[in-house]
């Protein structure tokens, strides 16, 4: 196998997802102007009065929420990323791909690249809308670049979990119930909606073993505080994500090998 | 390698899924340029066998080589030499026919020009030229199957594996697909296919293996299998009051060149013949010459159904073997 071949496979497989998306006009619209955005605006304004600025340590609730919404977008997309491969597995398309002389990982890599490209665009849309509503990024454009990098790194592990799930479950019904089982606690038991300091003690403990919290706590200061506060947090997030990704990739590779051989 | 005419060699191949034994102790060879069929009912283990040969399922026991390459150790080489048409309509509803083929061109590492040339050729072969740029969800079942076949042929493989290529198709599409398969053989491509249609196995396959309950029961050409059961048989009966002429008739018929064996039965003869078309008039002529008045003459040609029943103990549609008897 040469690098040339690998690039050709990954490109061909990624093109497939791009073509599919362009066929599903509605889905494309909803992908970019996605529901998350609605909740950012709606929740952001609604809880403006309920939220205690002192507790949030942010100029307003929307700027506090923006970081959470960015990371939730990565979470949702990442965890759902495997579902199309599940359909491929069910209808035999995966087997057809596996009967060709491709490197096994190119199926996974192409899916990751596609999902993360979409996610990156969504993050930019979210930050632009937040900007319109008055959220000013304290770290500016370089901050956006760092947010994207963190998002992509988080996406590696999440996509791996999703694919492991897709290759292990019996039906897509199982897949979606597992998804709900995973994603809701990851959101609510993290600092996405409430800061750690406002949580009861037991919840803080749970939130601290949730990688979501560490990712959000790195993204949030990039938006509302500035570099000084952000840099140690970002460094910490990189460490946590390296561990998280390694564990997820290991599990994902095992599930993949068991299913595909 | 051994005999160059052998392109696939399967030795004691087996596959278990946990406690379930899908196939066991399979051994057979496929020769260059033939259509080799695996005939068996649902759940017999046909797809499992094929999946191991196309390297997507690792065997639990035994070995298999395709064009001299081990399906486990040299899986990548095998993959680059074969084409596969799965049992399911493995199409992406949102891609056009052409896009399917372009995708596969990338996966087989063909250049853009090579891919396009192959695509034109294949679309013509399966008559999908006009529909090539429509998304697959608008295709009929037959069209999806044609696209499937074109996908399997894209890499210009030396061996094509087809899993139940005509399952659920209407008669016309089925005949069309038989045509393509024969055309492939004319182009020197070896074909390995599975089917649970007796007629398809009989008409299309040069050789076939009857597989049932995960094991191969018998292998041979449809003709060999049928003659193995005794071949074509003429059954003559003599008018009742003239049965004393039977031994005479037997002698006379025995002397005919196309007759392989003659058996006496009550009131007549069972004559095993090579070619019923030629031997029938000859038998009648002998009877007339020897002054035996025939009461009736019946011609029986064993069908593949009979072969199947003889080797599996049940009919193809009947499902499971006869295990309903109480102890
Ligand atoms: N992935 C699998 N897991 C468990 N059992 C399987 C699997 N694939 C096939 N089988 C079992 O193996 C047997 C043979 O199946 P298959 O090869 O699909 O038969 P056929 O293609 O002849 O209909 C069946 O009993 C089937 O239930
Ligand atoms: Mg099958």
């Amino acid at each position: 196998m040469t690098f040339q071949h690998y690039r050709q496979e990954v490109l061909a497989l990624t093109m497939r997802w791009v073509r599919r998306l362009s066929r599903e006009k509605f889905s494309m619209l909803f992908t970019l102007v996605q529901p998350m955005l609605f909740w950012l605006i709606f929740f952001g304004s609604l809880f403006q009065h309920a939220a205690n600025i002192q507790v949030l340590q942010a100029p307003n609730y929307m700027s506090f929420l923006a970081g959470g919404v960015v990371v939730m977008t990565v979470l949702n997309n990442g965890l759902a990323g495997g579902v199309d491969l599940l359909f491929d597995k069910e209808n035999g398309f995966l087997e057809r791909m596996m009967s060709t002389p491709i490197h096994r990982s190119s199926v996974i890599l192409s899916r990751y690249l596609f999902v993360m490209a979409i996610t990156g665009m969504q993050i930019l849309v979210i930050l632009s809308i937040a900007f319109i509503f008055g959220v000013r990024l304290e770290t500016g454009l370089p901050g956006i670049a760092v947010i994207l990098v963190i998002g992509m790194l988080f996406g590696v592990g999440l996509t791996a979990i999703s694919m492991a799930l897709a290759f292990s479950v019996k039906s897509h019904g199982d897949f979606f119930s597992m998804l709900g089982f995973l994603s809701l606690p990851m959101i609510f038991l993290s600092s996405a909606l409430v800061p750690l300091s406002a949580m009861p003690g037991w919840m803080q403990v749970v939130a601290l073993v949730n990688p979501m919290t560490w990712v959000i706590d790195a993204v949030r200061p990039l938006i509302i505080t500035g570099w000084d506060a952000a840099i140690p947090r970002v460094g910490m997030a990189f460490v946590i994500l390296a561990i998280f990704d390694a564990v997820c990739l290991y599990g994902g590779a095992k599930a993949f090998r068991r299913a595909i051989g | 390698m051994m005999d160059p005419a052998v392109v696939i060699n399967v030795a004691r191949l087996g596959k278990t899924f946990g406690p379930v034994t899908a196939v066991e102790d399979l051994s057979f060879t496929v020769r260059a340029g033939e259509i080799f069929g695996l005939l068996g009912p649902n759940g017999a283990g046909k797809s499992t066998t094929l999946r191991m040969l196309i390297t997507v399922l690792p065997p639990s026991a035994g070995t298999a080589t395709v064009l001299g390459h081990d399906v486990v150790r040299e899986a990548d080489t095998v993959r680059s030499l074969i084409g596969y048409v799965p049992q399911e309509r493995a199409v992406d509803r949102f891609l056009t026919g052409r896009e399917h083929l372009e995708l596969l061109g990338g996966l087989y590492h063909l250049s853009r020009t090579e891919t396009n040339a192959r695509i034109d050729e294949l679309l013509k072969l399966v008559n999908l030229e006009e529909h090539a740029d429509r998304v697959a969800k608008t295709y009929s079942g037959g069209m999806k199957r044609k696209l499937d076949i074109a996908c399997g042929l894209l890499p210009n493989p030396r061996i094509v594996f087809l899993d139940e290529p005509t399952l659920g198709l209407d008669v016309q599409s089925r005949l069309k697909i038989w045509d393509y398969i024969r055309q492939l053989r004319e182009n020197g491509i070896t074909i390995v296919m599975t089917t649970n249609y007796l007629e398809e196995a009989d008409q299309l396959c040069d050789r076939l293996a009857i597989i049932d309950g995960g094991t191969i029961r018998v292998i041979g050409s449809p003709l060999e299998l049928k003659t193995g059961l005794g071949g074509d048989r003429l059954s003559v009966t003599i008018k009742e009051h003239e049965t004393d002429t039977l031994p005479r008739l037997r002698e006379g018929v025995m002397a005919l060149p196309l007759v392989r064996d003659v058996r006496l039965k009550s009131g007549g003869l069972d004559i095993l013949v090579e070619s019923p078309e030629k031997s029938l008039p000859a038998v009648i002529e002998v009877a007339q010459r020897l002054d035996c008045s025939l009461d009736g003459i019946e011609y029986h040609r064993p069908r593949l159904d009979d072969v199947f029943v003889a080797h599996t103990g049940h009919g193809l549609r009947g499902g499971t073997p006869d295990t309903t008897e109480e102890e």
Side-chain angles (χ1 to χ4, degrees):
Chain A
M1 203 209 58
T2 64
F3 176 71
Q4 221 92 34
H5 282 176
Y6 194 64
R7 205 187 54 182
Q8 192 183 6
E9 295 158 20
V10 173
L11 202 69
L13 289 165
T14 311
M15 260 319 278
R16 171 181 172 221
W17 302 121
V18 174
R19 279 170 162 165
R20 275 177 69 126
L21 184 65
S22 71
R23 292 284 140 67
E24 299 169 275
K25 292 281 183 317
F26 257 115
S27 147
M28 182 146 85
L29 188 72
F30 279 112
T31 304
L32 286 180
V33 189
Q34 22 106 36
M36 265 303 155
L37 206 53
F38 168 76
W39 291 112
L40 171 68
I41 298 165
F42 180 72
F43 250 65
S45 336
L46 188 70
F47 286 112
Q48 181 55 42
H49 306 293
N52 184 334
I53 303 298
Q54 229 62 58
V55 175
L56 295 178
Q57 310 242 304
N60 53 48
Y61 190 63
M62 192 181 286
S63 57
F64 173 83
L65 198 57
V69 167
V70 162
V71 180
M72 279 193 274
T73 303
V74 178
L75 179 79
N76 285 341
N77 291 355
L79 285 182
V83 72
D84 289 84
L85 288 180
L86 177 60
F87 289 124
D88 278 352
K89 186 179 95 175
E90 285 175 343
N91 77 8
F93 205 86
L94 184 67
E95 192 171 85
R96 153 162 288 149
M97 295 191 281
M98 288 303 147
S99 74
T100 68
I102 55 173
H103 196 271
R104 283 18 211 159
S105 67
S106 46
V107 172
I108 306 233
L109 180 62
S110 65
R111 188 67 201 160
Y112 169 78
L113 288 177
F114 173 75
V115 171
M116 286 304 128
I118 298 286
T119 307
M121 283 190 267
Q122 289 177 340
I123 290 175
L124 294 180
V125 172
I126 290 170
L127 292 177
S128 311
I129 301 287
F131 183 86
I132 293 170
F133 279 83
V135 177
R136 296 288 175 268
L137 218 71
E138 287 298 323
T139 50
L141 287 181
I144 294 184
V146 175
I147 290 175
L148 287 176
V149 169
I150 293 174
M152 304 299 106
L153 283 178
F154 191 29
V156 170
L158 293 170
T159 316
I161 292 180
S162 179
M163 309 235 177
L165 215 56
F167 289 119
S168 316
V169 294
K170 289 269 175 289
S171 73
H172 54 267
D174 289 359
F175 181 86
F176 287 113
S177 40
M178 282 294 287
L179 213 63
F181 185 77
L182 266 176
S183 75
L184 291 181
M186 278 187 86
I187 292 173
F188 285 106
L189 299 176
S190 79
S191 54
L193 306 170
V194 210
L196 274 185
S197 55
M199 291 178 185
W202 67 269
M203 202 168 153
Q204 281 187 25
V205 175
V206 180
L208 278 175
V209 294
N210 182 351
M212 272 290 273
T213 299
W214 296 91
V215 176
I216 292 168
D217 286 355
V219 171
R220 189 167 282 144
L222 286 168
I223 298 176
I224 58 181
T225 356
W227 287 113
D228 285 347
I231 284 173
R233 294 253 154 223
V234 170
M236 198 56 208
F238 282 155
V239 173
I240 299 281
L241 284 178
I243 299 168
F244 175 69
D245 288 348
V247 171
C248 294
L249 282 175
Y250 177 75
K254 261 179 96 161
F256 189 62
R257 217 162 286 138
R258 199 169 39 230
I260 309 289
Chain B
M1 223 185 118
M2 4 166 259
D3 189 351
V6 171
V7 290
I8 297 177
N9 192 19
V10 175
R12 315 215 56 178
L13 201 62
K15 179 71 191 178
T16 52
F17 295 102
V20 180
T21 300
V23 294
E24 203 173 6
D25 202 17
L26 304 178
S27 298
F28 59 88
T29 54
V30 177
R31 300 169 193 157
E34 74 177 353
I35 301 179
F36 184 87
L38 288 165
L39 171 68
N42 272 339
K46 305 182 296 293
S47 298
T48 303
T49 309
L50 225 55
R51 287 192 177 114
M52 288 191 278
L53 294 181
I54 62 161
T55 78
V56 299
L57 199 63
S60 319
T63 57
T65 59
V66 173
L67 294 161
H69 302 284
D70 188 275
V71 294
V72 177
R73 275 178 288 111
E74 300 166 275
D76 233 34
T77 314
V78 172
R79 288 174 192 139
S80 65
L81 296 169
I82 62 169
Y84 172 50
V85 181
Q87 178 174 350
E88 303 91 354
R89 306 292 134 80
V91 298
D92 184 328
R93 296 157 39 76
F94 296 104
L95 295 187
T96 68
R98 189 184 304 280
E99 286 166 351
H100 277 85
L101 295 166
E102 283 170 0
L103 168 63
L104 285 165
L107 302 189
Y108 283 105
H109 312 123
L110 306 181
S111 72
R112 183 66 58 85
T113 40
E114 228 175 325
T115 304
N116 287 338
R118 277 303 284 162
I119 290 176
D120 289 342
E121 208 175 306
L122 288 170
L123 289 175
K124 192 176 276 170
L125 173 77
V126 299
N127 292 311
L128 274 182
E129 288 152 303
E130 283 158 43
H131 313 290
D133 296 306
R134 272 169 43 192
V135 289
K137 68 175 164 193
T138 67
Y139 284 14
S140 68
M143 285 159 72
K144 282 183 189 159
R145 204 63 194 151
K146 289 173 175 182
L147 176 59
D148 264 338
I149 291 180
C151 287
L153 294 174
L154 187 89
N156 208 356
R158 299 203 22 215
I159 306 178
V160 183
F161 293 84
L162 301 122
D163 200 355
E164 313 233 17
T166 66
L167 188 69
L169 291 187
D170 57 275
V171 177
Q172 259 181 331
S173 307
R174 176 169 302 169
L175 292 177
K176 200 87 206 145
I177 284 172
W178 288 5
D179 267 355
Y180 302 147
I181 294 177
R182 291 197 179 101
Q183 232 169 301
L184 295 178
R185 176 180 52 188
E186 266 153 45
N187 295 338
I189 297 174
T190 307
I191 288 133
V192 179
M193 58 178 283
T194 70
T195 182
N196 67 48
Y197 296 122
L198 283 161
E199 196 198 349
E200 183 162 280
D202 199 1
Q203 304 227 355
L204 202 54
C205 297
D206 297 312
R207 285 194 319 126
L208 51 98
I210 290 180
I211 178 168
D212 188 45
T215 57
I216 289 181
R217 302 306 170 96
V218 65
I219 302 180
S221 72
L223 189 66
E224 275 165 15
L225 295 179
K226 284 184 279 189
T227 45
L229 287 192
D232 295 320
R233 192 177 77 222
L234 294 177
S235 205
V236 299
T237 41
I238 303 280
K239 292 228 166 77
E240 224 170 303
H241 54 276
E242 289 188 32
T243 44
D244 52 323
T245 61
L246 264 179
R248 236 193 310 155
L249 183 60
R250 185 175 178 210
E251 298 273 294
V253 168
M254 196 75 113
L256 291 173
L258 291 168
V259 169
R260 298 190 299 143
D261 195 16
V262 182
R263 286 184 221 137
L264 264 173
K265 60 169 188 181
S266 73
L269 297 174
D270 262 347
I271 310 167
L272 298 177
V273 296
E274 300 277 326
S275 150
E277 294 82 4
K278 292 206 181 99
S279 46
L280 186 59
V283 168
I284 293 173
E285 199 195 285
V286 169
Q288 271 168 354
R289 181 155 49 77
L290 297 178
D291 221 14
C292 311
S293 3
L294 299 181
D295 188 40
I297 186 157
E298 211 176 272
Y299 156 51
H300 178 79
R301 157 164 278 180
R303 290 169 309 158
L304 210 51
D305 311 38
D306 304 320
V307 175
F308 195 89
V309 173
H311 290 282
T312 64
H314 61 89
L316 188 52
R317 303 275 159 236
T320 48
D322 211 7
T323 51
T324 47
E325 281 169 17
E326 304 214 350
E327 320 224 327

